[in-house]
Amino acid sequence: MGVVLPVVLFALGGVLIGGAWSLHRQGAPRGALWIVGALAVLATAGGVLWLLPGEGG
């Protein structure tokens, strides 16, 4: 599962960023934008952290 999970996390982050942008354009409440944006950042950060070299081998 070496490279699959980071790609999935990056894809999820992209979908969430697109969703946040769509919510913004539709005039959604700020709370919804913050939640979706935070999830996008977490997914993208998870993909980046998964690719960093570490002890987990």
Side-chain angles (χ1 to χ4, degrees):
M1 197 144 187
V3 179
V4 175
L5 187 62
V7 171
V8 170
L9 288 172
F10 286 135
L12 178 62
V15 168
L16 288 169
I17 289 171
W21 180 252
S22 178
L23 287 170
H24 170 68
R25 302 233 341 154
Q26 294 176 26
R30 284 191 184 255
L33 292 173
W34 278 105
I35 290 171
V36 175
L39 290 174
V41 168
L42 286 174
T44 305
V48 169
L49 291 175
W50 193 272
L51 291 175
L52 292 177
E55 300 176 15

